[in-house]
Amino acid sequence: HPDGMDLWGKRVPFEKMTERIATFIDGDINFCNLETVITDRNDLPTTEKEYNFRTHPNAVKLLLKVGFNLMSIANNHVADYGAGGIEETRKWLKKLGRKGRLHFAGAGENIDTAATPAIFEVKGVRIAFAAVSIGVQATSKRAGVVSTHKPDAALEALKKAKADIRILSMHGGKERQLVPVGYQKSLARRAVKDFGVDIVIGHHP
């Protein structure tokens, strides 16, 4: 912590977590990768992995208050509590995002839901947003995300969307590496060249 306060292992108010970035969240569209399950439940079974993330809906309320309004839920932690965790996350984001305050995409009960873009307007500009990720790959019968290695379901849905601007969120790459790896660059270039994507947002490393 910059001013020497050791907060490790202590209860920290949600507001404390965003106080140093809040003034920077001032755009018409403010994006974040929501890398966690959103739930108020304690009975969801975890999946077998080293870390399982879950967050109370009150944290998302704070993110909305700070100004975040576009979220990817395509990442390698959205399935930490299985299909039930993905369902909870979508349920809460829909509830908290009523009245157009929040738009999200990237994970769902099957591949079609995971690939479906969020479509919304900002100052008369129609935007389509989709997200792909490493992690549990959705199928016609399994909840998860659209894989960065098999992204076509999301790319095709973006291409078909009636929008002025198309945005693709891409969660992948190699951790602790500061440059994109090969498949990230290939995916980004293909998205722009073949599917009319205007903006590719990369994150994870």
Side-chain angles (χ1 to χ4, degrees), residues 76-135:
N76 51 299
H77 283 286
V78 72
D80 281 5
Y81 291 82
I86 292 175
E87 182 182 355
E88 277 283 293
T89 301
R90 290 185 62 87
K91 177 192 79 175
W92 277 107
L93 294 184
K94 286 178 182 177
K95 184 176 181 180
L96 295 169
R98 285 177 184 161
K99 300 179 182 177
R101 296 191 309 154
L102 169 63
H103 311 285
F104 69 93
E109 62 186 8
N110 54 44
I111 186 72
D112 291 335
T113 307
T116 299
I119 299 176
F120 56 99
E121 285 193 11
V122 176
K123 294 183 176 178
V125 178
R126 191 169 173 85
I127 296 163
F129 168 79
V132 298
S133 178
I134 56 174

Side-chain angles (χ1 to χ4, degrees), residues 34-38 44-49 51-54 73-87 89 106-108 133-138 142-145:
L34 195 66
E35 195 156 358
T36 180
V37 169
I38 303 300
L44 293 172
T46 60
T47 55
E48 289 292 327
K49 56 189 301 187
Y51 301 109
N52 297 87
F53 296 165
R54 63 179 177 171
I73 57 170
N75 52 64
N76 51 299
H77 283 286
V78 72
D80 281 5
Y81 291 82
I86 292 175
E87 182 182 355
T89 301
S133 178
I134 56 174
V136 177
Q137 186 174 350
R142 181 177 66 196
V145 301

